[in-house]
Amino acid sequence: MSSAARDLETCQKMCEELRQQISQIRHQTGKKVLADLSSDVEVAEYEPKQRNLCTGHFGKIYALHWGPESDAIVTASQDGKLIIWSSHTGNKQLAITLNSAWVMTCAFSPSYEFIASGGLDNTVSIFKTSNPNSQQGPNGGRFRTKEIHRELEKHDGYLSCARFIDDGEIISASGDGTCILWDVETRSAKNIFMDHTGDVMSIDLNKQNKSLFVSGSVDATGKVWDMRSSDRCIANFPGHISDINTVKWFTDSQSIVTGSDDGTVRLFDMRSYRQLNEYADTENRSLHSQDPAGVTSVDVS
């Protein structure tokens, strides 16, 4: 037996011993995992109510992003338009015509000064939507212009998601399996994160620690990254048996929520580096088969 094989066998034995020790400690202290504690919890039924109806797109709406102050929404549609809406009234604030109708993501910058979009053109397009020298926007809104500000090109696959860190930095995810941190002003890539082995479908920024972000991929893993360190992830969360379509940081900024084509939503914890719970509706079936319907979006209040 080679030394590498012996080392591997030793590591496997150590891991199994640690698992047994953790199980014994948990049994001795009476601590339970989240799934056990919540097994008999009654969940009140929730009936969502429509607040406003925003009408104006003529094609499939592929992406939506709330503004930082929750008073504006931007939507991206395959009619080739970005539309900014007032969330309080449902009125249009601004409409932007895109060079490519095959858009897959959109995002506000923290100051509302910029909007980013991208899709099958493999490009992060950034629009400047406010200009002090321009007249007041429609319906008294803050959005006055729709000029293209920057186009960031380096991805070799479609752009699935983009999120602003601040007005000068943005991070994008792509079908080429990478995430890129961009310097908007210089149009240059500051770092490329490439631990995924499949298309990256979603990213989300940590609200408490601006250096952390999470990504989800068709390789069925969620990964946490630190922009200050190398291009390798700092935490890897396997568990899903199919593509991860969407990821979101939990409100405590210590856990992540993932949604997958396997029909489940899972909660993973950074502190214990493990899955805390799995959520699935056995009646949630695909319209075309008996397979579970995939989860395409998750959010937390």
Side-chain angles (χ1 to χ4, degrees):
M1 182 184 293
S2 66
S3 60
R6 285 195 298 271
D7 291 344
L8 177 60
E9 185 178 353
T10 302
C11 289
Q12 289 174 335
K13 289 180 179 178
M14 291 175 64
C15 288
E16 184 58 34
E17 289 174 0
L18 286 170
R19 288 194 190 97
Q20 293 176 2
Q21 290 176 21
I22 291 171
S23 180
Q24 291 173 359
I25 293 172
R26 181 179 291 155
H27 181 74
Q28 291 171 0
T29 58
K31 291 184 178 179
K32 296 182 178 180
V33 296
L34 181 61
D36 297 331
L37 289 172
S38 58
S39 60
D40 59 349
V41 173
E42 291 187 9
V43 180
E45 290 192 9
Y46 170 67
E47 186 68 31
K49 296 181 180 179
Q50 178 178 298
R51 299 293 181 88
N52 279 310
L53 179 65
C54 304
T55 57
H57 281 299
F58 296 98
K60 177 182 178 181
I61 296 175
Y62 210 96
L64 176 151
H65 191 234
W66 282 87
E69 298 172 8
S70 299
D71 58 350
I73 303 168
V74 60
T75 53
S77 167
Q78 291 186 347
D79 61 9
K81 300 282 188 184
L82 292 178
I83 297 182
I84 304 174
W85 314 82
S86 167
S87 61
H88 300 311
T89 65
N91 293 333
K92 291 182 189 177
Q93 299 286 291
L94 194 69
I96 300 172
T97 301
L98 302 171
N99 292 329
S100 170
W102 302 105
V103 62
M104 298 178 68
T105 186
C106 57
F108 280 112
S109 71
S111 69
Y112 286 100
E113 189 170 352
F114 301 103
I115 285 178
S117 71
L120 297 188
D121 59 357
N122 303 359
T123 303
V124 184
S125 299
I126 298 177
F127 298 88
K128 189 176 180 65
T129 55
S130 64
N131 189 328
N133 299 323
S134 300
Q135 296 180 350
Q136 190 176 46
N139 299 315
R142 73 177 85 192
F143 306 104
R144 302 178 176 91
T145 67
K146 53 182 89 173
E147 63 190 63
I148 187 75
H149 177 66
R150 291 287 186 273
E151 288 185 319
L152 311 177
E153 299 176 336
K154 196 173 183 66
H155 283 298
D156 293 324
Y158 61 86
L159 198 78
S160 58
C161 192
R163 292 292 180 261
F164 280 96
I165 299 165
D166 51 43
D167 285 359
E169 290 183 320
I170 189 171
I171 191 160
S172 59
S174 170
D176 63 13
T178 68
C179 302
I180 297 181
L181 173 63
W182 300 89
D183 184 307
V184 174
E185 193 63 31
T186 63
R187 301 184 179 91
S188 60
K190 300 180 70 173
N191 204 350
I192 302 178
F193 307 94
M194 46 188 182
D195 250 358
H196 280 295
T197 58
D199 303 15
V200 185
M201 301 305 297
S202 179
I203 52 177
D204 190 43
L205 304 177
N206 189 300
K207 292 183 178 179
Q208 289 187 7
N209 187 339
K210 299 298 183 182
S211 298
L212 298 182
F213 73 96
V214 61
S215 62
S217 166
V218 301
D219 64 12
T221 66
K223 298 184 188 295
V224 177
W225 313 76
D226 190 329
M227 300 177 210
R228 299 165 298 184
S229 60
S230 69
D231 56 358
R232 302 301 177 185
C233 67
I234 61 171
N236 179 50
F237 295 104
H240 283 289
I241 59 175
S242 190
D243 304 0
I244 292 179
N245 298 314
T246 177
V247 292
K248 190 75 177 178
W249 283 99
F250 196 60
T251 48
D252 63 357
S253 295
Q254 298 289 342
S255 308
I256 63 170
V257 183
T258 58
S260 168
D261 275 347
D262 62 16
T264 67
V265 172
R266 301 185 188 222
L267 178 65
F268 298 95
D269 185 64
M270 282 286 292
R271 292 157 295 190
S272 59
Y273 285 90
R274 59 165 290 169
Q275 178 179 308
L276 295 183
N277 214 345
E278 176 184 333
Y279 311 92
D281 184 352
T282 56
E283 297 180 1
N284 185 26
R285 295 291 172 182
S286 169
L287 294 175
H288 309 292
S289 70
Q290 288 303 305
D291 295 331
V295 179
T296 59
S297 181
V298 294
D299 207 347
V300 294
S301 62

